Amino acid sequence: MVPIHIGKALLACLAFLVILGCVDGFAAMLGASEPAREQVQYLACAFLLVSFPWIAPWALPKLARAPASPSLADHQSERILTLFLPILPDQVPPPKIVILDLPQFSAIIVGRPSKSTLFISSALLQSTSDFDLQVILAHELGHLVHQHQAQVSLFIAGLFLFKAFFPIPLPLTIAAFIAYLALLRDNERAADRHAGETLGEARLQAMLRHLATLVQESTDEPARTGMARKLMTNLMTHPTFWERIKLSQDRQAAEGNMR
């Protein structure tokens, strides 16, 4: 997630509430009933969610907290672009780069293929070689070209659309949340696959081991594989590093068998 400046976030929320208030006021002027006005509000939220991939590259840099100093940003932006250009698909322009002076090891790309913004932390840049950093960029590029942000936005917007016309009981809410987390994990696997296809599975595995070392997560096979372990993994936004490396090794073995 992109760290947001609290004051700016509050202003953005206020602007959002003003928009909803205007929509509600317009619906009231047209003589809509209370349930109909509530439906209009849910529909407005769904529309804003669908538009998020278009809004995010412009809005999030303005809301982001802890931007890096200009000297660090210029130096690292040039480094990132040098690594990005050889792996960019045709018709996909380089993203805008925002470097955040943060101790966390993080990178996230927002937007759509024609216009995007990459947020990356100074800690990750300073702890990662060009060899591994290019694989991280290829992974983020996988999110972009497969339009994962649009998929997630559409999923959540669909819930608002459903809520506009039907009640959502608690079991369905829980099921939707689990499905949302599963979608996030599937997107991570797809981004890994894109990075492996772009730069090779061996480099992907090396990068994943590097990241696991940075965040102090084991890459060994879990000792426990029971129901508790399965429940825990189903509540995660990312697959474990062990699973991601194992999937990459399986693809590498399958590719070797085809030769």
Side-chain angles (χ1 to χ4, degrees):
M1 293 294 292
V2 178
I4 299 299
H5 189 282
I6 294 177
K8 294 178 179 178
L10 289 175
L11 287 175
C13 290
L14 179 60
F16 175 70
L17 291 175
V18 168
I19 292 173
L20 283 184
C22 291
V23 170
D24 183 64
F26 182 72
M29 287 174 56
L30 295 178
S33 64
E34 189 66 30
R37 288 165 59 184
E38 186 176 349
Q39 288 178 338
V40 169
Q41 291 178 7
Y42 280 116
L43 292 173
C45 290
F47 173 78
L48 288 174
L49 283 165
V50 169
S51 64
F52 186 74
W54 282 262
I55 297 173
W58 166 79
L60 286 183
K62 301 180 186 301
L63 298 175
R65 176 172 53 84
S69 64
S71 58
L72 175 63
D74 291 344
H75 170 69
Q76 293 288 7
S77 294
E78 183 178 349
R79 175 192 177 198
I80 291 170
L81 280 176
T82 300
L83 297 173
F84 235 137
L85 291 176
I87 60 176
L88 279 172
D90 294 338
Q91 311 303 320
V92 176
K96 178 181 179 180
I97 298 168
V98 177
I99 297 171
L100 302 174
D101 190 9
L102 296 171
Q104 293 85 9
F105 306 106
S106 61
I108 182 172
I109 199 163
V110 299
R112 56 198 191 282
S114 60
K115 186 174 180 60
S116 60
T117 300
L118 172 74
F119 295 88
I120 189 164
S121 69
S122 56
L124 181 61
L125 290 170
Q126 293 164 356
S127 305
T128 305
S129 67
D130 287 358
F131 184 83
D132 287 330
L133 180 57
Q134 190 174 43
V135 187
I136 293 172
L137 297 176
H139 172 94
E140 294 304 318
L141 188 59
H143 285 304
L144 185 67
V145 298
H146 293 293
Q147 303 201 49
H148 289 158
Q149 188 177 73
Q151 293 177 19
V152 173
S153 295
L154 285 171
F155 180 90
I156 301 175
L159 295 179
F160 276 88
L161 284 173
F162 189 90
K163 177 63 175 174
F165 299 101
F166 306 101
I168 301 182
L170 180 60
L172 186 57
T173 301
I174 295 173
F177 179 66
I178 293 174
Y180 167 74
L181 294 176
L183 175 61
L184 295 182
R185 292 194 300 274
D186 283 345
N187 287 349
E188 292 301 321
R189 296 183 187 104
D192 278 351
R193 188 162 55 249
H194 178 89
E197 292 171 352
T198 302
L199 294 172
E201 297 293 347
R203 285 188 64 179
L204 172 63
Q205 293 160 34
M207 180 274 287
L208 291 171
R209 291 190 178 94
H210 169 69
L211 286 183
T213 300
L214 290 181
V215 301
Q216 300 180 342
E217 181 180 320
S218 174
T219 58
D220 296 333
E221 183 174 2
R224 293 181 299 171
T225 58
M227 182 63 68
R229 174 72 187 179
K230 186 175 182 180
L231 177 62
M232 185 178 70
T233 56
N234 284 338
L235 295 177
M236 296 169 62
T237 60
H238 287 58
T240 63
F241 281 106
W242 172 80
E243 179 191 334
R244 294 168 70 180
I245 292 170
K246 179 68 167 57
L247 288 172
S248 176
Q249 290 171 338
D250 291 345
R251 291 192 297 267
Q252 189 177 33
E255 183 180 344
N257 292 334
M258 291 175 63
R259 292 178 179 175

